[in-house]
């Protein structure tokens, strides 16, 4: 009786530990995807990546923590969804295929596992993330129009506080980056696989990932193809109307020299790392490089949105945004 109880308790404890381990392993790769998107949009489009809410439009005031719209009627002259094409992000960001990326709501890694189950193909460990096609929805009549909000609406008075930096926790959206996230995958066929077997696998790939088979590029025993995160274009990032100049300058200074170079290398390695144990080690390295900055890991975006000197993103240099993008990606990686 006692032994049976002991075994039951031990088994329960073991299962609890296993479930906990699995949940941690599943949660960690999610931070890789979020970090990659954070870095990509800050660096390339000077925009903050959006993960939960779609669509978002210029003139909206959104909550930084959960992306939920707080105010959407303060600028009645704005036209929703007036998208204009802009340059694609073509160079790509390398990301682990296990990094929590999804295709039509299904984990990319789950689709890969299904295809690899037969043993005839093996995916390469990394994917290249691209954003294409991309369009921008700017504020009608430019950023100056966002000085002219509906002052008869009491709730809109919050915008005064956002502009002078005294109200925290919100972004006033000036532009929206709209489009698709795509993943470029590479798969290697088993040695000695017949031409017919390869053809059958290409059909399976096209069906599983819902792509046109003619878009798959085959060279010898290797095939490459691109799949989209979602079937339609969607809100991918937003450009705030104002940012905290003091915080921007502080981060850019923090990222100067060897520390910035080392942090960039550690972040890039963490994005590509597939092994959970190695990812944990990289997180420790990133934490050490961040030092006291680690205290801001859950508030870095909020700190960018309020302060004594609020400026337009046009007053911030490309070099500063490059530094911010690495810093922010590091914060996302260690924030989970």
């Amino acid at each position: 009786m006692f032994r049976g109880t002991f075994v039951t308790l031990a088994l329960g404890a073991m299962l609890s530990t296993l479930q906990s381990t699995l949940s941690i392993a599943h949660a960690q790769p999610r931070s890789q995807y979020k970090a990659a998107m954070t870095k990509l949009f800050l660096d390339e489009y000077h925009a903050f990546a959006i993960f939960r809410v779609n669509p978002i439009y210029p003139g909206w005031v959104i909550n930084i923590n959960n992306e939920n719209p707080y105010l959407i009627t303060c600028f009645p002259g704005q036209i929703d969804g007036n998208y204009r094409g802009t340059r694609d992000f073509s160079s790509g960001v390398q990301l682990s295929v296990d990094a929590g990326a999804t295709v039509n709501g299904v984990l990319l890694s789950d689709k890969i596992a299904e295809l690899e189950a037969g043993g005839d193909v093996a995916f390469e460990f990394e994917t290249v993330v691209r954003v294409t096609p991309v369009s921008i929805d700017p504020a009608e009549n430019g950023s100056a129009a966002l000085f002219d909000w509906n002052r008869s609406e009491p709730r809109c008075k919050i915008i005064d506080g956002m502009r002078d930096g005294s109200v925290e926790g919100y972004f006033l959206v000036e532009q929206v980056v709209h489009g698709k996230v795509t993943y470029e995958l590479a798969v290697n066929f088993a040695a000695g696989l017949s031409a017919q077997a390869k053809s059958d696998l290409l059909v399976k790939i096209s069906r599983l990932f819902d792509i046109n088979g003619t878009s798959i590029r085959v060279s010898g025993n290797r095939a490459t193809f691109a799949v989209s995160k979602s079937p339609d274009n969607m809100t991918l990032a937003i450009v705030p109307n104002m940012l905290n100049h003091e915080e921007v300058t502080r981060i850019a200074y923090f990222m100067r020299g060897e520390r910035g170079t080392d942090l960039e290398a550690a972040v890039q390695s963490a994005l590509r790392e597939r092994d959970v144990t190695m990812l944990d080690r990289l997180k420790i390295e990133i934490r050490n490089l961040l030092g006291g900055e680690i205290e801001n890991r859950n508030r870095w975006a909020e700190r960018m949105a309020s302060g004594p000197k609020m400026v337009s993103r046009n007053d911030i240099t490309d070099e500063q945004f490059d530094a911010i993008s690495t810093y922010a990606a590091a914060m996302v990686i260690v924030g989970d």
Side-chain angles (χ1 to χ4, degrees), residues 249-321:
T249 304
R250 192 189 68 80
I251 292 172
Y253 183 80
F254 175 81
M255 292 293 294
R256 290 176 61 186
E258 186 176 346
R259 174 167 49 195
T261 301
D262 290 346
L263 193 55
E264 170 72 23
V267 166
Q268 293 288 0
S269 295
L271 296 180
R272 299 192 302 270
E273 184 55 60
R274 194 179 192 189
D275 182 82
V276 173
T277 300
M278 290 302 299
L279 181 57
D280 282 339
R281 292 178 183 175
L282 285 165
K283 284 188 175 186
I284 292 171
E285 180 182 348
I286 291 171
R287 284 175 178 270
N288 289 337
L289 288 167
L290 287 171
E293 290 293 314
I294 199 72
E295 296 177 2
N296 299 324
R297 64 188 181 278
N298 296 319
R299 296 193 64 243
W300 67 269
E302 289 184 29
R303 290 172 65 96
M304 295 284 292
S306 62
K309 183 181 179 182
M310 302 297 289
V311 298
S312 165
R313 63 88 178 253
N314 295 322
D315 295 320
I316 301 171
T317 67
D318 289 343
E319 291 76 15
Q320 287 174 320
F321 270 113

Side-chain angles (χ1 to χ4, degrees), residues 63-274:
N63 187 302
I64 292 174
N65 286 330
N66 58 23
E67 302 174 6
N68 287 338
Y70 177 73
L71 296 169
I72 64 174
T73 58
C74 293
F75 300 92
Q78 292 300 314
I79 300 173
D80 295 342
N82 189 16
Y83 303 114
R84 305 172 189 176
T86 188
R87 60 183 177 84
D88 288 354
F89 178 55
S90 57
S91 58
V93 172
Q94 287 183 302
L95 185 68
S96 164
V97 294
D98 291 336
T102 59
V103 176
N104 294 339
V106 179
L107 280 172
L108 181 62
S109 55
D110 287 353
K111 288 180 175 285
I112 288 173
E114 181 178 342
L115 197 63
E116 287 184 327
D120 292 327
V121 294
F123 278 81
E124 296 180 6
F125 289 164
E126 296 175 10
T127 177
V128 177
V129 184
R130 305 184 193 278
V131 182
T132 179
V134 187
S135 58
I136 301 291
D137 184 7
E140 300 298 319
N141 300 317
S143 60
L146 298 184
F147 283 87
D148 187 23
W149 61 89
N150 181 6
R151 286 172 170 78
S152 65
E153 172 55 56
R155 293 185 70 203
C156 296
K157 291 181 180 178
I158 191 178
I159 296 173
D160 271 325
M162 294 173 64
R163 285 196 170 280
D164 65 24
S166 62
V167 172
E168 300 180 355
Y170 300 93
F171 278 142
L172 172 58
V173 180
E174 181 177 321
Q175 293 185 5
V176 174
V177 181
H178 189 74
K180 281 187 178 181
V181 173
T182 63
Y183 312 112
E184 187 170 284
L185 300 168
V187 62
N188 295 294
F189 298 107
L193 207 61
S194 69
Q196 183 59 52
K198 286 182 183 179
S199 178
D200 292 342
L201 283 169
L202 293 176
V203 171
K204 187 173 182 179
I205 288 172
S206 64
R207 288 177 179 171
L208 184 62
F209 291 98
D210 193 24
I211 59 174
N212 190 323
T214 60
S215 66
I216 304 174
R217 303 177 299 281
V218 180
S219 177
N221 281 334
R222 188 173 186 267
T224 57
F225 56 96
V227 296
S228 296
K229 175 181 174 63
S230 61
D232 299 314
N233 291 349
M234 60 190 297
T235 297
L236 300 177
I238 60 98
V239 176
N241 180 238
M242 307 285 281
L243 290 172
N244 179 358
H245 184 264
E246 186 177 88
E247 184 69 359
V248 168
T249 304
R250 192 189 68 80
I251 292 172
Y253 183 80
F254 175 81
M255 292 293 294
R256 290 176 61 186
E258 186 176 346
R259 174 167 49 195
T261 301
D262 290 346
L263 193 55
E264 170 72 23
V267 166
Q268 293 288 0
S269 295
L271 296 180
R272 299 192 302 270
E273 184 55 60
R274 194 179 192 189

Side-chain angles (χ1 to χ4, degrees), residues 43-66:
D43 193 14
E44 294 296 320
Y45 298 102
H46 301 175
F48 288 73
I50 294 294
F51 300 101
R52 301 183 184 93
V53 179
N54 175 62
I56 293 174
Y57 296 114
W60 286 17
V61 175
I62 64 170
N63 187 302
I64 292 174
N65 286 330
N66 58 23

